[in-house]
Amino acid sequence: MQQWRLTPWATFSTARMLALTFGAMMYVTLMNLVFLSFIGLPLLLAALLIPTYRRQMRRQPLRFGALGVACAVIVVCVLWKIHRDNQLNKAHHPQLEQDVQLDGLPLPAGAKLNLRTLEPLDAQGRPQPHGLRSLYYAKFASPHTINGVEVTELQMYGSGPFSKMLLSRDQVVAGWPCAGGTWVTLDIADEDRLQPSRWRFSACTLVTGADVAGVKWPDSSEVRQYDGRFSIDTIGLASPAVVIQGIALSDLSLDLDEQRQPGRWRGQLAQDLTLGDWHYPRGMRVRQDTPGTLMFSPSKSDCAQNLRTGETLDAGRSIQQRRESGAVLWIKPNAGLGVADW
């Protein structure tokens, strides 16, 4: 007879399922007790006011007395926990009555704060920022200036490197025209959480129509910084066409160097384009890796066609041409070109 043996993983899964089932049963039982206590205690008190029920309760004082005490204990414990949680919640979400200076971070009166912890020691008994120094969110009653930037909200993620400020209006941040009502993302080291002068710009949404690197950027375009360099991206194919070097593109991404000079860019044609002998339909992927050249990459839904010979270029290969003359420099498989086949 074949014998079946449970694997360690199956045994663990079974034990976990039993533990979850037991925990759910205990939770339901506890909730039922609380529910019945909040109903039972008022009913017992009301019964004492009715002679018929009061006489019946006097005949069994121990039973009804124990029931009343049990209900009262549960009700008192629940109400005490609700009160304690409410007090703790208020302590974690204070509203400042006067201006406060946290190292280099000023906080104005009226600011509503969210604090991570009130405890000076963490679970391992190590010192940790607590109270106001554990701030992770602030909402200001009116626009408040932090490091020269007017904001209405501040989000600080504690152990994470990134925080955000909500701009009160259009303004220049770290040299970028950022849109009001959007978030500026900041790269903040743990030791610099309360030192705004050391916060480093990471990203923001550009003002609609901002002229950056010779391009007028549409609504919701984002600039990001990484390793001292920058990139600007339009968001989604539904964004308006962007013209760069005379070519209308959708879904444009432009790289800039440390001096914010434009370099590589990539996108999809917003309208048909003919370059030299080759015709490219709307939606064709195109990018510039080096000045004066363009690389086109067909996908499964579109292909390029040579108007002179009738040759087609399908998905899996890319073509590079000179921007001015249209001369073909090469046609290569996508492998090694950093182009995904789709």
Side-chain angles (χ1 to χ4, degrees), residues 6-324:
L6 289 176
T7 65
W9 174 251
T11 302
F12 172 77
S13 299
T14 302
R16 184 182 180 187
M17 183 62 67
L18 290 174
L20 291 174
T21 302
F22 178 76
M25 292 175 60
M26 292 297 295
Y27 177 79
V28 172
T29 301
L30 180 60
M31 290 297 100
N32 286 335
L33 286 175
V34 170
F35 178 74
L36 293 175
S37 296
F38 272 85
I39 294 178
L41 185 60
L43 290 178
L44 288 173
L45 294 176
L48 290 174
L49 302 177
I50 302 174
T52 302
Y53 293 112
R54 184 167 60 244
R55 286 192 296 270
Q56 184 177 354
M57 294 170 68
R58 284 177 175 175
R59 296 191 193 102
Q60 298 176 316
L62 292 180
R63 176 182 297 179
F64 286 101
L67 180 61
V69 170
C71 289
V73 169
I74 292 176
V75 169
V76 169
C77 288
V78 171
L79 293 178
W80 175 83
K81 186 179 186 305
I82 292 175
H83 172 73
R84 180 175 176 275
D85 290 346
N86 184 55
Q87 294 299 109
L88 190 60
N89 182 65
K90 288 182 178 180
H92 278 91
H93 302 85
Q95 183 171 1
L96 295 181
E97 297 180 357
Q98 59 185 12
D99 294 352
V100 172
Q101 185 75 27
L102 287 178
D103 295 343
L105 177 62
L107 297 174
K112 296 179 180 180
L113 311 180
N114 288 7
L115 309 179
R116 192 169 302 278
T117 182
L118 305 175
E119 302 298 328
L121 302 179
D122 62 16
Q124 286 73 42
R126 298 171 298 190
Q128 65 177 351
H130 62 284
L132 291 180
R133 291 184 173 275
S134 67
L135 172 72
Y136 71 91
Y137 173 79
K139 184 173 184 178
F140 307 113
S142 59
H144 174 59
T145 301
I146 298 178
N147 201 26
V149 180
E150 277 192 12
V151 301
T152 56
E153 295 180 43
L154 171 66
Q155 290 187 3
M156 306 181 71
Y157 295 116
S159 59
F162 296 108
S163 296
K164 298 195 299 184
M165 300 190 299
L166 184 62
L167 298 180
S168 62
R169 56 180 177 83
D170 293 353
Q171 53 197 296
V172 176
V173 181
W176 298 102
C178 300
T182 64
W183 294 94
V184 171
T185 305
L186 305 161
D187 186 356
I188 302 178
D190 286 343
E191 61 271 18
D192 296 333
R193 290 185 72 252
L194 304 179
Q195 298 292 346
S197 62
R198 301 177 188 171
W199 296 355
R200 297 174 296 277
F201 174 88
S202 180
C204 84
T205 300
L206 293 177
V207 173
T208 301
D211 191 335
V212 179
V215 176
K216 291 189 178 299
W217 295 91
D219 180 53
S220 300
S221 299
E222 293 186 355
V223 55
R224 297 183 179 87
Q225 176 174 307
Y226 54 97
D227 296 332
R229 303 175 68 86
F230 302 89
S231 69
I232 306 178
D233 301 270
T234 58
I235 305 302
L237 292 173
S239 62
V242 180
V243 178
I244 183 169
Q245 298 177 3
I247 302 175
L249 299 174
S250 60
D251 197 23
L252 172 64
S253 179
L254 171 65
D255 294 338
L256 301 97
D257 61 19
E258 293 85 346
Q259 288 72 43
R260 307 190 183 189
Q261 296 302 310
R264 296 178 55 182
W265 55 260
R266 53 203 170 277
Q268 293 182 247
L269 294 178
Q271 57 191 29
D272 289 4
L273 174 69
T274 298
L275 182 60
D277 294 332
W278 287 89
H279 176 77
Y280 303 101
R282 179 178 179 272
M284 176 73 64
R285 293 175 292 173
V286 56
R287 80 186 196 198
Q288 174 189 275
D289 291 334
T290 58
T293 65
L294 293 175
M295 186 180 80
F296 298 89
S297 302
S299 64
K300 294 179 180 179
S301 60
D302 53 52
C303 65
Q305 184 176 27
N306 188 300
L307 299 178
R308 183 174 57 84
T309 65
E311 177 188 359
T312 60
L313 185 68
D314 300 315
R317 295 189 298 164
S318 295
I319 178 174
Q320 187 176 74
Q321 295 174 264
R322 293 201 181 279
R323 174 71 180 87
E324 296 300 327

